[in-house]
């Protein structure tokens, strides 16, 4: 009787070892899928945060454009060149640089990567001014880089001018507007 019970026990041990192997394979598959989901959520969150920054910054820059608030602009990078607008711009080109720097400051992302375009329908009060900003999406983890690289976040805001503009229309090289 003891002899017949031994082969049954060895069969149970073999089945238990087979089950452990199957559990290991299933766990590996679940971990891979969970990791993809987790990193996808992280990538989406970062990209969405950047989009909100571009959207809100564009809206604030358009508001600054319609009231012609170009004084006290910070330094920024325009077309690959570092620009420091004067505190009180006197020329239209200085006022344009100041507005672009204020737009990039309000967006709050990398100044060199943020591209701005300013369009004027006319220079009279009541005419439209359009501020468009674009920013490239970059993969944080690298896992979704094939899907994100080469894409841009773009926001366009149109408002009516309340003051005659001291600035000119401007389009930064590389913008996606």
């Amino acid at each position: 009787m003891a002899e017949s019970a031994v082969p049954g026990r060895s069969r149970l041990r073999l089945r238990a070892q087979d089950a452990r192997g199957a559990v290991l394979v299933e766990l590996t598959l679940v971990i891979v899928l969970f990791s993809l989901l987790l990193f996808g959520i992280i990538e989406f969150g970062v990209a969405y945060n950047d989009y909100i920054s571009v959207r809100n910054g564009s809206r604030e820059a358009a508001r600054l454009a319609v009231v012609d608030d170009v004084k006290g602009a910070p330094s920024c990078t325009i077309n690959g060149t570092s620009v420091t607008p004067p505190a009180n711009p006197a020329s239209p080109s200085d006022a344009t640089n100041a507005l672009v720097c204020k737009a990039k400051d309000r967006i709050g992302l990398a100044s060199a990567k943020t591209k701005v375009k300013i369009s004027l329908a006319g220079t009279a009060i009541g005419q439209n001014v359009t501020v468009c900003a674009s920013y490239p999406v970059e993969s944080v983890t690298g896992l979704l880089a094939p899907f994100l690289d080469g894409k841009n976040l773009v926001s366009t805001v149109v408002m009516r001018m309340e003051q005659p503009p001291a600035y000119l229309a401007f389009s930064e090289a590389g913008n996606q507007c």
Side-chain angles (χ1 to χ4, degrees):
M1 220 179 193
E3 289 178 19
S4 63
V6 172
R9 284 186 187 164
S10 64
R11 273 192 233 135
L12 288 175
R13 286 184 188 155
L14 287 175
R15 285 184 188 161
Q17 288 173 352
D18 289 344
R20 281 188 225 144
V23 168
L24 184 61
V25 170
E26 291 170 1
L27 179 65
T28 304
L29 290 173
V30 168
I31 287 175
V32 168
L33 292 175
F34 180 73
S35 297
L36 285 172
L37 181 66
L38 179 66
F39 288 124
I41 290 170
I42 291 169
E43 293 283 0
F44 175 78
V46 169
Y48 192 67
N49 184 52
D50 288 349
Y51 174 72
I52 290 172
S53 295
V54 170
R55 183 72 185 145
N56 288 340
S58 299
R59 189 177 317 114
E60 288 180 32
R63 181 65 189 149
L64 293 171
V66 299
V67 297
D68 199 35
D69 182 8
V70 294
K71 295 179 182 175
S75 298
C76 70
T77 303
I78 300 175
N79 289 326
T81 305
S82 182
V83 175
T84 304
N88 193 7
S91 71
S93 63
D94 284 344
T96 304
N97 287 341
L99 183 58
V100 170
C101 286
K102 280 191 163 194
K104 290 182 177 205
D105 181 58
R106 294 304 195 272
I107 291 170
L109 300 172
S111 175
K113 295 179 185 177
T114 305
K115 305 299 180 186
V116 177
K117 179 180 179 181
I118 301 167
S119 303
L120 297 170
T123 58
I125 295 174
Q127 296 290 327
N128 289 338
V129 62
T130 303
V131 175
C132 181
S134 63
Y135 187 79
V137 180
E138 295 175 351
S139 177
V140 176
T141 63
L143 189 64
L144 299 177
F147 303 106
L148 296 178
D149 289 349
K151 305 282 192 277
N152 285 291
L153 304 171
V154 179
S155 176
T156 303
V157 179
V158 179
M159 291 187 179
R160 290 180 184 247
M161 285 189 272
E162 297 175 12
Q163 299 291 324
Y167 51 86
L168 305 169
F170 175 79
S171 182
E172 191 168 8
N175 74 56
Q176 300 295 316
C177 300

